[in-house]
Amino acid sequence: MTSLRRTLEKDLFQPNEEHVLTMVHVSKLLKKKKTSFLCIVVNNEKPISVTIHQVKGEKNLYKKKRSWQLNELKSVDVIKDVETHDFDLQFDKVYKWFAFNLQERQNFIITLWEQCQKHLPKQKPPFQNMPEEWKTDSNHLIQNEVTVAPETVEMEDYLALTDREEQDLEKLMGQCEFAVSNAEAFMEALARDLSVLDGENVHSVLASEQQVAQLMVQIEAAIAEAEKVEARLDAYDEVLCHIRDTMEKMEEKNLLMEVACRNNQKLLDELDQVISQLDLPHKHQMALIDADLTSAQGLQSAIAAGKALMAAMNAEIHPALVRLAAVQEQRKRFEKWKTKFSQTISRHLNNLFIHLGNDAGETLSFHARDLTLPKHNSIHTELKAYTPLMHWCKAMDRKAYIALSRVYTNSLSKLYERDIKQFFEEAKQQISGSREKKGKGSGSNQDITGKLKHQAQQFGPSKSPVPSGLLGVEREQWGTEVDEAERQRFDDVLERVLAELEPVCLAEQNFCVSFFQLDVLSPTTKNTQTTLDGLTAEVKEEVDSSSSTVAIPQKKIEKQINEEVRRMMSDLFTCLEPELMAFISYYEKIDSFYCMYVLVRLSQHVLSAEDTGSFLSKTYGLALVKVKRIFDNFMKAQLKSIEEAKVNRKSKCGILSYVENFEDFARTAETIFKNTDRRTDLDKSYIKLVGAMFEAIPRNAAEHHKTPQEVVKMENFHHLYALLSQLKIGVLDGLRKDAKQKYNDALKAYVTQYFGRPLIKLNVFFEGVLAKVAQGVKESEISYQLAYSKQELRKVIREYPAREVKKGLENLYRKVEKHLCEQESLLQVVWRAMQEEFIQQYKAIEDLIQRCYPGAMITLDFSIQDILDFFSEIALSH
């Protein structure tokens, strides 16, 4: 322990001129593995201060962990049991220690007690359970410490020589020559000199005994005076301590007074701010109680009073101040004024909305080239002055705001319903070119009924009218057809209708967003948004959390705003989508081609819309979906009509209905869809329709019992090929080539089947010749075969004179003429193909004669020129 004490003094305390009085090896009460040292240290400078250090060390490295000044010690618990190792020291909190050595523990506590007695005369901490013998026998206990550590005491009693003592020692050693060489002789000489000096001192003292007695009397008197001075100093010290304690208490009181003064000033400022925020001028109070919304001045006063009331009810006030009785009383006054003001606004705007909704408004006038939908800008202008009041209602009285919104939509929806219905009726009149006024009620239904009756009378009681424009139906069976001029008028009027609806809906939407503040979401579902409700902490936290969740996702806010705007616009224009679809359906029933015009126009307006989330864009989008469905159904009906098409019962089949009708269909569709964004839809339909025709033509060809199948396929594929070549539709180019190939195949098959072999016996004869050649007979030796001799050949040739051949060709021409229809003019084409076929057969027979019967001078009765003349004469004669 002594060496450890030296190490600690050297490393930690001597650099700060501090001295270790005592130390004890300890650990915390319940953590005996973590050890440390408690040291009582006093500094060598004045004023003297005593410090208690906790020192921890690892691997001969020590450092101070905690330090406490002696005056920070509040109490010491020694524990009654003398043999216990525990003791408690209370500073900022109670520290429980376990001492490994009982003697070290006792010396540490006694030293701590002595330092408290010496340096803390007025504020001595209590030493609980400390034995009295430790206090009375402290000198004896301290002596034990000296006995235990004599080296330490020697170290403490050692004093270094002063400069004066060093000079005297050097002078003394200088007087003796052997002081360094013979230390023992030098010490003996010093001892002799010291004995002589002691003797002389004794003789001197004995000689001056009387003087000594007088000196003792004077010393005793001085001691008595010193004791008086010390007693007076102690009294002064007590007075100074009392004064010090009094000054400290006064200083604490002054600090408390300053804190109280600052708090009072802050409270006064806060109250002044609260009063200024919650104070509502008298003129605003009167304007809230008795608001005049009919005059401009009264309206401005009401708006200003409403803003002031809203600002006061939403003042930024600390939640603690909100619970003040005065604040709550003022809040009740605000609620009373708010209720009265809200009732006044609701009553006035409610009457105003109803009045404006009942206004007759503008009357639609019919002009040949002018179709307009009335714009209610005057209503918006009149209501614009009340916009701040409507915003106030949304923030302060949500129930009144919702009720006024409903009254507005109910009133204005009637006005718009009347205008839109009249607008579409006038549009119908412009399309039909009628100048007559509408009859009673449903004129459109009467028109449709009249047309259906006309169609029923036309087709008779056993037939049902067929929709016009179906490809697979004969044109004679179509209903009443619509001319191109009326279709063009429909397209122009439809564009006008869609263009007129846009500014009206957009103006109403912009007004509603501004007037009803639809672009601002309420942070809470409460009826009144105010900061003076005195919410509990739980409710306030819930409101704050709900507000934060609304404020974070920006996309969700925009979505909710758009939904709110569309909801209000849907309530205002409830009849817009039904009337638009009724208008479209009305004309689609008359002529299915109208759905193509609507599809193109609606697509243009939907794609060109600036605000794709607006009410009108959504309405047009929904209508476009329905029109696209009508268009798809129309194309399905076309496909079905092609699949179910029946051939006519005439002697000549001719061009099938869907092939013939496709020209008008395609030309009309190309006019409608030219340079539009819906071209892809038409191209898809083209492919399906033409593909269905390719499948239907062979099937229908087989159904006609009078016209050969090859003729039906040849004529229809030729017609389809010529039509596709004229239309020049890029997506059908591949099918155009297929149509040409099918036409050529059908032509070849017809020529092969009906031209046949007009020189049949010659053909059979030479087939036998070729068979012999195939068996190995040389061509030059064929004439030696009995059945194929030259005489047999001449006999067969005599059966086909030129006159009989021409007669057979005339019969064939009449048969072909009977099969083919005049519409396609394919008779000369087929006749030319048969001529080429005849010439090929003639050349084949001539070639075989030259090869198998060379030099026999055998030829047919007619030449190629005769054949050409025959075909030409027959064609010209007919």
Side-chain angles (χ1 to χ4, degrees), residues 759 762-763 765-766 769-770 779-783 788-790 792-794 796-798 841-862:
L759 308 176
L762 279 172
N763 292 329
F765 180 85
F766 281 106
V769 171
L770 292 176
E779 291 181 351
S780 59
E781 297 177 357
I782 288 295
S783 59
Y788 302 105
S789 63
K790 297 176 183 179
E792 291 294 327
L793 176 59
R794 289 188 180 97
V796 175
I797 289 176
R798 282 197 297 269
Q841 292 184 17
Y842 179 88
K843 289 180 178 180
I845 292 172
E846 283 288 333
D847 181 60
L848 287 173
I849 292 173
Q850 296 297 326
R851 283 157 45 197
C852 298
Y853 303 95
M857 302 298 290
I858 300 175
T859 59
L860 296 175
D861 191 39
F862 52 91

Side-chain angles (χ1 to χ4, degrees), residues 453-477:
K453 287 181 178 180
H454 174 72
Q455 293 174 3
Q457 293 173 0
Q458 181 179 358
F459 293 101
S462 62
K463 297 180 180 179
S464 59
V466 179
S468 62
L470 289 182
L471 297 175
V473 179
E474 295 289 343
R475 192 175 287 268
E476 292 81 6
Q477 299 179 12

